[in-house]
Amino acid sequence: MQVVMSSSLHSLPWSAQTLVSNFNSPLELKQAHAHLIKTNTPLSLIPPSRIASVCALSHLDFSYAHRLLAHFHQRQIVVWNSCLKTLAESDSPFDAILLFRRLREFDVVPDSFTCAFVLKACTALLDDKNGKIIHGVVEKFGFQWNMVLQNMILNFYGLCGEMSTARLVFDKMPQRDVVSWNVMITHLVKSGDFEGAYGFFLRMPERNVRSWTMMISACVHCGKPKEGVQLFLEMEKIGVQVNEVTVVAVLSACADLGALELGMRIHEYSKRSGFGGNVRVLNTLIDMYVKCGCLEEARRVFEEMEKRTIVSWSAMIQGLAIHGHAQEALRFFSMMIEMGVMPNGVTFIGLLHACSHMGLVDEGRRFFSCMTRDYGIIPEIEHYGCMVDLYSRAGLLQEAHEFIMNMPIKPNGVVWGALLGGCKVHKNIELAEEATRHLAELDPLNDGYYIVLSNIYAEAERWEDASRVRKLMKNRGVKKKPGCSSIMVDGVIHEFVAGDDSHSQANEISDMWEKLLDYMKLRGYKPDTSVVLLDVEEKEKEKFLYGHSEKLALCFGLINTSPGSVIRIMKNLRVCEDCHAAFKLISAIVNREIVVRDRNRFHCFKDGACSCQDFW
């Protein structure tokens, strides 16, 4: 076949032009080819990319296209690369791998683009076998110089979970750029190797905003919000310009840490930087204000939003629920439905949470039923846990137990833990023992469950059983988690552990507590030593009570903050009955609002009362 260059496409009749340029099958291509030969028209009028696309997926047709493309001046691999790119980005990326195999069978020499497109298909499929073959081709043809390709290989191994291979590739790379380091950090974080990711971050010769943002997000996801905040402050100090993703990451860290001052500063920065309309930023702001105990600020952000998503509504419903405003949470749900916003599973977790803390058993049952009936939402383990919590708080322990037995999915530690909590409040030893047997299998190293059962025995003055449980903890290597409370003053987080007197202001804290104690006793306060479930003298029990971490943090806050300002305390465990009663009195004595976030919920103490219907 000889390519003749004497005519143009426009010289052909309209029907021939259509046939030559718009053929849709190998048969139509052959008809166009035959017409051009018959009319002595150059074959170059046929679009080569179209030849490739209609013949790529058939072995016989590929052979024909291969011979035909040999008569074009354009390199064949350039034509096939266009086809490979389309297939790799299609719904059937494996077709790109099949086409690559045919190219190799016909000795079409690949280039770096070929490898990139096929590797993209392997990555989409997580096809480690063919991905390794492409890696071999890269090595064979000497494409190691191509940084984009090397970074794609790193990402491929990371997504396939082969971090050891990714590290080998990274170590052997002749050159690396910031993307190479970021890819490694991303996959180390995803694989759960936070320390390894942080090690890479520290060794980076240069970092961009993505590098910093990834590490801040990693800190949040790994339960290290304090370190995330510190990284942000360092990033800010050296002048790295943050973006919306960074803002979301650091706001999440502030939410977990209770770092309200920094969160408010980031809020102001977002407004100045034009992020104020970003829905994701605004949703994270709502979550941050909720978790820092500033429900009104969360509401203000919500009300000022031009566009609200289901995440916005769910965050407010959950926030109202954990702050003890259950009726308002239900009202928000009604408003949401009236506005045509469809709820999701998270919405119903907030609603069930609200019903649980208000003792709204019938409403809780109704919401649980309508999830599937009205909205097609299949309940997940969190919803079942909320229902068990609802029944347990209401004292319907047998109903809670029956509910667990009839669950269509296996109950987890949270579900049995909710029943155990109800058994403690309503003093049901038999069900508590059953719940603990399941918990010992599901979550054997969780100290909380052993402690609750031991406390149930102690309240019933079954000291031998209480001792047996604590001995069992020791034998299994389970250590009791100490109560820890934190408070932020002037941008610095101060942490207090129960019974700790090592703080630099320990004497002042002790003096402050003694003063408060005198005022409290005048108002009828009596230490509730029943919460100290040890077989010791009353005076010793009182000493334990007075050393609770949230009391130490409160006294520190009263000493170091201005009169009238709100005191915000975060605690890792549940607030006990005695601290709950004491804080109500203290809020009236010092005329201060005291917000405590414990493991379960928020307690907003003001004018001698708490926002919660119950303290549990």
Side-chain angles (χ1 to χ4, degrees):
M1 285 184 288
Q2 184 178 2
V3 179
V4 183
M5 304 295 294
S6 60
S7 302
S8 70
L9 185 65
H10 297 293
S11 65
L12 297 174
W14 175 251
S15 59
Q17 290 182 34
T18 303
L19 181 64
V20 168
S21 59
N22 291 316
F23 52 88
N24 293 308
S25 67
L27 178 61
E28 291 180 356
L29 167 61
K30 290 174 183 177
Q31 290 173 344
H33 184 191
H35 180 81
L36 293 179
I37 293 173
K38 188 176 180 180
T39 58
N40 199 31
T41 307
L43 297 179
S44 59
L45 295 182
I46 302 177
S49 60
R50 199 161 186 83
I51 295 174
S53 64
V54 300
C55 296
L57 300 180
S58 164
H59 184 79
L60 291 175
D61 295 326
F62 179 90
S63 178
Y64 167 69
H66 176 63
R67 294 196 309 274
L68 187 59
L69 289 172
H71 296 275
F72 286 74
H73 294 297
Q74 192 174 17
R75 288 174 59 226
Q76 273 212 46
I77 194 58
V78 175
V79 178
W80 290 115
N81 281 347
S82 175
C83 191
L84 283 168
K85 181 177 186 296
T86 301
L87 293 173
E89 295 173 352
S90 73
D91 294 332
S92 302
F94 189 71
D95 290 339
I97 298 172
L98 292 176
L99 175 57
F100 176 75
R101 288 179 182 172
R102 293 201 179 99
L103 291 171
R104 299 304 298 130
E105 287 172 15
F106 284 82
D107 294 323
V108 178
V109 179
D111 61 13
S112 60
F113 291 103
T114 313
C115 295
F117 298 141
V118 183
L119 190 60
K120 186 172 186 177
C122 294
T123 301
L125 297 165
L126 296 181
D127 185 344
D128 60 339
K129 181 181 177 181
N130 284 300
K132 288 174 181 177
I133 290 173
I134 301 302
H135 185 189
V137 171
V138 170
E139 295 292 324
K140 179 180 177 180
F141 285 89
F143 298 144
Q144 299 92 332
W145 54 267
N146 189 308
M147 191 81 71
V148 172
L149 200 50
Q150 289 291 319
N151 289 338
M152 288 182 71
I153 292 170
L154 278 182
N155 187 49
F156 165 74
Y157 283 121
L159 287 171
C160 289
E162 298 192 27
M163 287 310 301
S164 58
T165 307
R167 283 182 186 241
L168 284 174
V169 173
F170 181 86
D171 291 339
K172 291 182 178 180
M173 285 175 69
Q175 288 182 302
R176 306 182 192 101
D177 60 8
V178 70
V179 175
S180 317
W181 290 89
N182 284 347
V183 169
M184 286 301 296
I185 290 171
T186 298
H187 290 298
L188 285 167
V189 169
K190 287 182 179 178
S191 68
D193 186 2
F194 175 81
E195 296 302 327
Y198 189 60
F200 266 78
F201 178 78
L202 292 177
R203 300 203 314 272
M204 288 182 76
E206 63 170 314
R207 302 170 187 142
N208 60 12
V209 64
R210 180 174 172 80
S211 317
W212 287 96
T213 302
M214 280 193 304
M215 279 314 305
I216 294 169
S217 296
C219 289
V220 175
H221 292 138
C222 294
K224 299 176 182 288
K226 187 175 182 179
E227 289 82 352
V229 166
Q230 289 171 342
L231 279 175
F232 171 75
L233 295 175
E234 184 181 343
M235 172 188 181
E236 193 178 42
K237 186 176 180 180
I238 63 175
V240 179
Q241 192 71 26
V242 307
N243 58 25
E244 291 102 322
V245 183
T246 319
V247 167
V248 168
V250 72
L251 283 174
S252 297
C254 292
D256 290 347
L257 199 59
L260 177 62
E261 294 175 23
L262 178 58
M264 294 176 74
R265 184 159 66 81
I266 298 298
H267 187 183
E268 290 303 314
Y269 173 83
S270 298
K271 292 178 182 177
R272 294 196 307 272
S273 302
F275 305 154
N278 184 295
V279 174
R280 193 177 174 200
V281 170
L282 294 172
N283 287 340
T284 312
L285 274 167
I286 292 172
D287 183 62
M288 185 275 295
Y289 280 124
V290 163
K291 290 180 178 176
C292 288
C294 293
L295 192 58
E296 289 309 311
E297 286 298 324
R299 193 195 305 267
R300 187 172 293 112
V301 173
F302 178 85
E303 289 175 350
E304 291 175 356
M305 291 177 73
E306 293 182 7
K307 181 182 179 181
R308 303 181 187 115
T309 66
I310 183 57
V311 176
S312 321
W313 287 96
S314 297
M316 279 306 303
I317 289 170
Q318 181 79 354
L320 289 162
I322 64 176
H323 277 269
H325 301 277
Q327 292 292 356
E328 195 168 359
L330 303 189
R331 186 176 64 83
F332 258 67
F333 177 72
S334 298
M335 289 166 51
M336 185 185 88
I337 298 302
E338 287 174 9
M339 295 182 69
V341 180
M342 286 296 100
N344 60 17
V346 177
T347 316
F348 280 98
I349 290 174
L351 290 169
L352 293 173
H353 200 147
C355 292
S356 178
H357 285 284
M358 281 289 290
L360 304 175
V361 177
D362 290 337
E363 288 85 346
R365 287 191 182 116
R366 180 170 58 82
F367 281 126
F368 187 79
S369 297
C370 80
M371 277 178 62
T372 305
R373 185 187 66 235
D374 298 340
Y375 302 105
I377 299 170
I378 304 301
E380 297 182 9
I381 194 68
E382 293 84 1
H383 301 101
Y384 288 105
C386 286
M387 286 302 294
V388 174
D389 187 58
L390 171 68
Y391 290 134
S392 299
R393 286 176 183 274
L396 304 173
L397 299 179
Q398 292 300 333
E399 193 166 346
H401 181 257
E402 185 178 342
F403 183 86
I404 294 173
M405 293 294 100
N406 292 323
M407 281 173 55
I409 55 179
K410 184 179 179 180
N412 64 3
V414 174
V415 171
W416 284 108
L419 177 63
L420 181 62
C423 291
K424 180 180 184 301
V425 173
H426 300 288
K427 307 185 188 310
N428 188 317
I429 295 176
E430 182 181 351
L431 278 180
E433 290 173 332
E434 181 181 349
T436 307
R437 281 195 297 271
H438 289 283
L439 290 165
E441 295 178 4
L442 293 166
D443 197 0
L445 297 180
N446 189 317
D447 65 309
Y449 305 136
Y450 296 94
I451 298 298
V452 171
L453 181 61
S454 174
N455 290 352
I456 291 172
Y457 284 136
E459 285 183 1
E461 297 187 353
R462 290 172 54 172
W463 300 110
E464 289 185 6
D465 288 326
S467 177
R468 175 175 54 80
V469 173
R470 291 179 182 268
K471 186 177 181 181
L472 183 63
M473 285 179 64
K474 184 177 180 181
N475 292 339
R476 291 181 176 177
V478 181
K479 295 183 178 179
K480 184 180 183 299
K481 186 187 298 180
C484 179
S485 297
S486 63
I487 180 171
M488 180 173 281
V489 177
D490 296 331
V492 179
I493 296 170
H494 299 264
E495 294 181 335
F496 296 88
V497 177
D500 184 15
D501 59 359
S502 62
H503 194 276
S504 59
Q505 289 184 270
N507 291 334
E508 296 171 71
I509 290 171
S510 179
D511 291 343
M512 173 59 74
W513 175 251
E514 290 299 327
K515 291 177 184 176
L516 290 173
L517 194 55
D518 290 339
Y519 285 114
M520 288 161 60
K521 287 180 177 178
L522 290 174
R523 297 192 179 209
Y525 169 73
K526 291 183 179 179
D528 185 357
T529 56
S530 66
V531 303
V532 181
L533 300 168
L534 299 173
D535 192 10
V536 295
E537 296 294 327
E538 284 297 303
K539 286 294 181 184
E540 282 297 308
K541 289 185 178 182
E542 289 183 17
K543 185 177 178 182
F544 276 109
L545 276 182
Y546 299 159
H548 280 190
S549 63
E550 58 266 52
K551 290 187 175 99
L552 301 178
L554 174 59
C555 292
F556 175 83
L558 290 170
I559 294 167
N560 293 282
T561 58
S562 57
S565 60
V566 179
I567 294 177
R568 303 178 191 279
I569 298 169
M570 307 291 158
K571 185 175 181 182
N572 65 332
L573 304 177
R574 184 172 61 86
V575 171
C576 75
E577 294 98 318
D578 182 76
C579 288
H580 193 266
F583 277 35
K584 285 198 288 187
L585 288 173
I586 293 171
S587 68
I589 292 168
V590 299
N591 194 26
R592 302 275 285 271
E593 184 177 352
I594 305 165
V595 179
V596 180
R597 185 178 94 187
D598 71 9
R599 186 177 60 188
N600 291 345
R601 63 194 300 182
F602 274 90
H603 303 268
C604 302
F605 302 96
K606 187 176 181 180
D607 299 327
C610 177
S611 60
C612 303
Q613 294 287 326
D614 57 21
F615 87 95
W616 179 32

